[in-house]
Amino acid sequence: MELSRRGLLRTGGTVAAGLALTGLTGRAHAAAQALPATPSFDLADGSDALFMHKTSWCPTVMQSAGYDHLNKHWYVAQVMYNPGDGVSHATRLAQGDIAITKLSADGSTKLGRMYLRGFGHGAQFGVEPTAAGSAPYLWIEYDSQLNAAGTTGFGTKVCRIRYLGPPTAEPPRSFHWDDAQDRADMDFRDRTPDPLQLPGTGSTLSSPRAVVDMQHRRLLVRFGRNGQTQAAVWDLAKAVAAPLGAPLLLRQNLPAPVYDSQGFCLYGSWMYMLEGESYKSGGPADTTDVGTTYITKVDLNSAYSERALTRALKSLVFREPEGMNIMLVPDPAAAGAYLPRLSFGFASGDEGDRRVNIAYKDALV
């Protein structure tokens, strides 16, 4: 089973289609371990706009975005394409070339960019801040392989690399995952899960994608295995120190989306999944087009799930959901503590001039 970004995870499941607001799914199989139970984000809570209509380094659709809360920077992944460099968008897409743009906290200023050559599509990645004044690490796909249609490269493995994008005023730099010097410079570490270390059967897995939960210091990797979508969770410190061994928890048979899978993230004992497509009949110009952007939350301990339509940033043109991550912001009531936001992105604008938009929810239940 190939978990490509378009049509991703449409492998059957228990999500009920056609629910206007919320829906429940059934139970799924899990390993015996459990995570300490935590509150979850309230999907009925209204969404707020963090920023809208911002530009990243390339004019292509944003794929996902993550936040470094220690330095107040955003990192946005998209297919690398610079019209002036003589390489077509189709070539970049097929090769799996990714651009990572570093943005200011309000999205208004482009601070740098890093080109990852042959890594994949960038549909979901994790940002691991390390310290104030230091560059974060990125948990991202690599070893891009063409999809069955021969048009798009998707990563087949997972790695942890340091962000090394030169500042805006300096020439760009490309990094190749299979170049020894580039690997050394990025502090490259393969962190592809070993299927033989996972509970249950299945000696292979496909399309692994990683995110980090900095509040609870955990890593989640989602992948295809045994004809279904699964996710496993590890302690982050152990995942940084050594190749991934047995996980804290494995959740099998995750709910399958009705529309295109667009991202996911982890907060505590809950996984969140984003799905949807761009407006089909005009969007804001057609009030009957409410969009197809849904968020699903899954209790990784019990497999209880809830799915809700979101009308966040409904005024956007195009409005394709793109990527999720947890944004941590200072807690005004407790010095040194942070409050979580469930952030999710939308691509907007016209082809050749796509824009970056971030919305969030922050109510916990």
Side-chain angles (χ1 to χ4, degrees):
M1 175 181 66
E2 179 184 359
L3 298 186
S4 64
R5 184 176 173 279
R6 294 291 174 229
L8 186 70
L9 310 182
R10 292 185 178 177
T11 58
T14 55
V15 173
L19 296 180
L21 289 177
T22 61
L24 303 182
T25 69
R27 301 280 173 171
H29 301 292
Q33 303 98 318
L35 301 173
T38 61
S40 65
F41 288 97
D42 183 358
L43 299 188
D45 176 44
S47 300
D48 295 303
L50 183 68
F51 57 74
M52 299 173 66
H53 311 299
K54 305 305 182 183
T55 58
S56 49
W57 201 263
C58 300
T60 52
V61 167
M62 68 171 289
Q63 300 296 327
S64 57
Y67 188 65
D68 176 351
H69 65 285
L70 298 180
N71 294 284
K72 298 181 174 60
H73 296 145
W74 281 94
Y75 293 86
V76 179
Q78 62 190 143
V79 174
M80 175 186 172
Y81 173 55
N82 296 304
D85 69 6
V87 181
S88 69
H89 176 260
T91 297
R92 295 294 190 195
L93 184 67
Q95 290 179 169
D97 295 340
I98 300 172
I100 304 290
T101 301
K102 178 182 178 181
L103 295 176
S104 58
D106 64 358
S108 297
T109 305
K110 288 180 280 190
L111 302 173
R113 72 288 195 211
M114 181 180 188
Y115 296 149
L116 304 178
R117 304 288 299 280
F119 276 69
H121 199 64
Q124 185 62 63
F125 72 106
V127 175
E128 179 198 340
T130 55
S134 296
Y137 280 85
L138 309 180
W139 292 77
I140 196 165
E141 66 194 274
Y142 81 98
D143 193 2
S144 180
Q145 302 294 324
L146 276 172
N147 62 353
T151 58
T152 306
F154 292 96
T156 57
K157 301 172 185 176
V158 168
C159 66
R160 177 183 184 262
I161 59 173
R162 182 179 287 277
Y163 174 82
L164 291 177
T168 300
E170 297 181 8
R173 179 179 173 185
S174 290
F175 295 84
H176 299 74
W177 67 266
D178 54 354
D179 179 272
Q181 186 59 56
D182 286 349
R183 289 168 71 101
D185 290 346
M186 294 185 290
D187 192 18
F188 180 102
R189 301 182 190 183
D190 175 84
R191 288 300 183 262
T192 308
D194 178 357
L196 300 182
Q197 294 281 344
L198 301 175
T201 60
S203 60
T204 61
L205 54 81
S206 61
S207 302
R209 302 289 182 267
V211 292
V212 292
D213 173 1
M214 294 306 300
Q215 190 85 294
H216 302 92
R217 307 291 301 181
R218 296 195 187 103
L219 166 74
L220 180 145
V221 181
R222 188 204 64 190
F223 46 83
R225 185 175 180 231
N226 290 340
Q228 59 181 243
T229 305
Q230 303 183 5
V233 178
W234 288 265
D235 174 82
L236 182 59
K238 292 181 179 179
V240 169
L244 302 183
L248 299 173
L249 177 143
L250 172 72
R251 172 57 57 196
Q252 303 184 52
N253 196 28
L254 288 170
V258 177
Y259 303 100
D260 288 343
S261 176
Q262 300 287 8
F264 61 94
C265 64
L266 172 71
Y267 185 75
S269 57
W270 293 79
M271 181 179 181
Y272 299 85
M273 299 182 289
L274 182 69
E275 64 177 285
E277 299 164 0
S278 60
Y279 280 134
K280 297 304 180 186
S281 59
D286 179 356
T287 57
T288 66
D289 186 351
V290 298
T292 57
T293 301
Y294 285 82
I295 297 174
T296 298
K297 65 179 182 181
V298 180
D299 181 347
L300 292 174
N301 289 327
S302 71
Y304 163 88
S305 65
E306 180 180 331
R307 179 175 180 262
L309 177 74
T310 177
R311 296 286 283 128
L313 311 190
K314 63 182 181 181
S315 66
L316 293 174
V317 173
F318 185 66
R319 190 180 178 266
E320 183 175 44
E322 302 287 353
M324 298 190 93
N325 257 304
I326 298 299
M327 178 187 187
L328 297 180
V329 296
D331 183 348
Y338 290 89
L339 297 173
R341 291 176 174 177
L342 177 63
S343 69
F344 46 104
F346 289 91
S348 67
D350 298 325
E351 186 173 357
D353 186 25
R354 300 300 192 195
R355 299 303 177 99
V356 177
N357 308 269
I358 303 292
Y360 68 91
K361 295 178 182 290
D362 58 5
L364 295 169
V365 291

